[in-house]
Amino acid sequence: MIDKTSKEFAKYLVDEDIATFGEFLLKSGRKSPYFFNFGKLNNTKRLQIVCSFYAQKIIQLGIDFDVIFGPAYKGIPLSIGVANAVQDLTHTPVEFCFNRKSVKKYGDVGSHVGANLEGKRVLITDDVVTSGITISESVKLVEKLGGEVVGFIVALDRQEKGVDIGISAAQFCENNYSFPLISVSSVSDIIEVLKTDSMNNAIVDSMNSYLRKYGAE
């Protein structure tokens, strides 16, 4: 069954050059023929559209949560934008929260900004994760504030093995937590969009070659 939301989102990422192609050095040390630059969510229109895709996926899957949490830094605008987008679809206010990189010791002291997480079901939102360490760090932040993580949603699944764990982030979640890693779209969806134009054949070949080397089983 074709997931319409995933395919439309993949096309949007390509059309807006958020999905970029060339040669990129990743944090992992790998050289990748593609990179997803969510730093390009630098105006309200783009942020609103991307967050609306997150919201569609959340509603589609029926995720039951109380608060959306965004880990600093890219998760911060996403947590607010996705909360607004879910409200637009459900007509119900949505709480959000994000952490500070360092604890504030004056005024509104503390390690986070926004809703209280104590005893609440928390949906973490981020852009892209490959590493299990990234997931674990975010979960620890939420649990330290008394919340229970019920899901971790990202824009895109790179579908590759993390250098640190040897398995994909989705597999890491499945093996270590009771909540799922949810992706709005995936590298496979990006490839399917690119394949509709023969001018992209070389890019598709390089992406498939990369996945054969580093892709998750």
Side-chain angles (χ1 to χ4, degrees):
M1 181 178 176
I2 296 175
D3 187 327
K4 186 178 178 183
T5 300
S6 297
K7 302 297 182 186
E8 289 180 351
F9 186 50
K11 186 175 187 307
Y12 180 78
L13 296 181
V14 172
D15 290 347
E16 291 296 308
D17 292 324
I18 294 170
T20 55
F21 309 97
E23 185 176 289
F24 304 91
L25 180 63
L26 305 181
K27 184 178 180 180
S28 63
R30 294 172 180 167
K31 290 184 178 179
S32 172
Y34 49 91
F35 181 72
F36 303 102
N37 186 5
F38 287 92
K40 288 189 175 182
L41 301 186
N42 53 12
N43 65 55
T44 51
K45 182 178 180 180
R46 280 183 173 175
L47 181 63
Q48 183 178 37
I49 290 172
V50 166
C51 289
S52 73
F53 279 108
Y54 275 80
Q56 290 174 53
K57 180 68 72 170
I58 290 166
I59 300 302
Q60 176 185 321
L61 296 178
I63 303 170
D64 199 9
F65 68 95
D66 301 310
V67 184
I68 291 177
F69 178 83
Y73 285 105
K74 288 183 181 177
I76 293 175
L78 285 173
S79 67
I80 300 169
V82 173
N84 272 312
V86 172
Q87 176 184 269
D88 287 344
L89 294 177
T90 63
H91 308 291
T92 303
V94 179
E95 292 188 321
F96 64 86
C97 175
F98 52 87
N99 67 297
R100 293 183 169 113
K101 281 290 188 180
S102 59
V103 178
K104 189 177 179 183
K105 297 180 179 179
Y106 58 91
D108 55 334
V109 299
S111 61
H112 72 288
V113 177
N116 180 6
L117 301 188
E118 186 70 39
K120 293 179 181 177
R121 297 164 299 176
V122 180
L123 175 62
I124 299 174
T125 182
D126 211 340
D127 55 353
V128 181
V129 294
T130 305
S131 169
I133 291 175
T134 302
I135 295 170
S136 295
E137 288 175 346
S138 296
V139 172
K140 287 175 183 176
L141 286 171
V142 169
E143 291 180 343
K144 187 176 181 179
L145 294 171
E148 176 194 357
V149 179
V150 295
F152 196 124
I153 185 167
V154 296
L156 193 121
D157 183 358
R158 284 187 61 98
Q159 297 176 295
E160 66 183 83
K161 302 170 186 174
V163 171
D164 56 330
I165 52 177
I167 56 176
S168 71
Q171 290 167 331
F172 178 83
C173 264
E174 185 177 342
N175 292 348
N176 294 277
Y177 297 109
S178 59
F179 61 83
L181 178 68
I182 304 148
S183 57
V184 183
S185 192
S186 69
V187 168
S188 293
D189 294 319
I190 298 289
I191 289 173
E192 288 305 309
V193 169
L194 294 172
K195 283 167 65 175
T196 61
D197 187 340
S198 60
M199 290 183 66
N200 297 322
N201 286 349
I203 296 173
V204 170
D205 287 345
S206 65
M207 293 178 74
N208 282 326
S209 177
Y210 180 85
L211 288 173
R212 282 194 293 271
K213 187 174 183 179
Y214 298 117
E217 296 178 1

